[in-house]
Amino acid sequence: ARSSSALSRSLVSRSREARTPAAPKPAARPTERASRSSAPKPAPKKIVWTAPKLSDGRIDWTRMPVLEPGATHPAVRYLQARVGVKRTGFYGPMTLALVTQAQEAAGLPSEGYVGARTWAMLYQPRTAAASATSSSTSSSSRSSSSSSSSSAPRTSSAPSVGGRVCPAPGSSFGSGWGAPRGGRSHMGVDLMGRRGSPVVAIEDGYILRAGRQSNGALRIVMQGVSGSKFYYGHQDAHYVQAGQRVKRGQVLGAMGDTGSPGAVHLHFEYWKSGGESAAVDPYPLLRSLCW
């Protein structure tokens, strides 16, 4: 009787369990590895770089980065666009060859380092007058270039700012005011350019002196209508004479390296008050006119 009673209770219990639905099993948590692989990967951040610009929209080459062979800076693409090579963003052998060629032609150290002077040279287009003068003087010898030439260009197409123009259109900035010069200080600014490119009258005025100095350099001193005087040094050729009146933008001579062999440039001094012992730093003036 006991066994039958226990059996009855067991059967009732089992029937109740059969009628009660089983609780659902909790879903298995995804492993950390699976959750990482299924999550969308964030897009890589794109590095955006723009060349520094002036208020008028032109690129400010004085704030461009210094590049050397092997560089991968975004500015390399700007460099490659200027020298005419595929814009890969890598400063490789082909880019180096074209950069050094341009530096040598401009009278800059042809080592491939691209600093402010090289950027300026690359971004300053040569004027039509500069091209004409360069081609006309390339076939002439330096010995005969000191005399005046009837075929010399008369005026420059340099833009005028406040009645003045850049004295060396298309040039780049070289040595500045106060640079050491063998026991003395540099009293002007060197404007680097191509041999034969024109140096022009910065404003209307007349020529005070034009000739060769004791160091062999051809130089011009002109008096402007503003009352200031301006000194031009190291030309290969002169196209004006002392006492001659000149107009703003008129070509005075051809850029060269007389008295300073191997460094083609214009040494320019600004005697603002008109006194020849009162030279001032011409860079602010030249910056407004040339760059």
Side-chain angles (χ1 to χ4, degrees), residues 100-134:
T100 53
Q101 181 180 349
Q103 289 174 327
E104 184 176 358
L108 300 177
S110 54
E111 300 174 352
Y113 291 95
V114 182
R117 290 167 61 187
T118 298
W119 280 120
M121 177 266 296
L122 293 173
Y123 273 89
Q124 294 293 330
R126 296 181 66 192
T127 62
S131 301
T133 310
S134 180

Side-chain angles (χ1 to χ4, degrees), residues 72-156:
T72 56
H73 192 279
V76 174
R77 294 180 181 272
Y78 285 81
L79 173 64
Q80 291 170 328
R82 299 306 296 182
V83 298
V85 70
K86 186 177 179 180
R87 289 180 286 180
T88 63
F90 173 68
Y91 190 168
M94 187 174 295
T95 304
L96 175 61
L98 293 173
V99 168
T100 53
Q101 181 180 349
Q103 289 174 327
E104 184 176 358
L108 300 177
S110 54
E111 300 174 352
Y113 291 95
V114 182
R117 290 167 61 187
T118 298
W119 280 120
M121 177 266 296
L122 293 173
Y123 273 89
Q124 294 293 330
R126 296 181 66 192
T127 62
S131 301
T133 310
S134 180
S135 60
S136 65
T137 56
S138 60
S139 59
S140 62
S141 64
R142 286 193 214 174
S143 60
S144 62
S145 64
S146 59
S147 60
S148 61
S149 171
S150 59
S151 61
R154 291 296 181 188
T155 59
S156 166

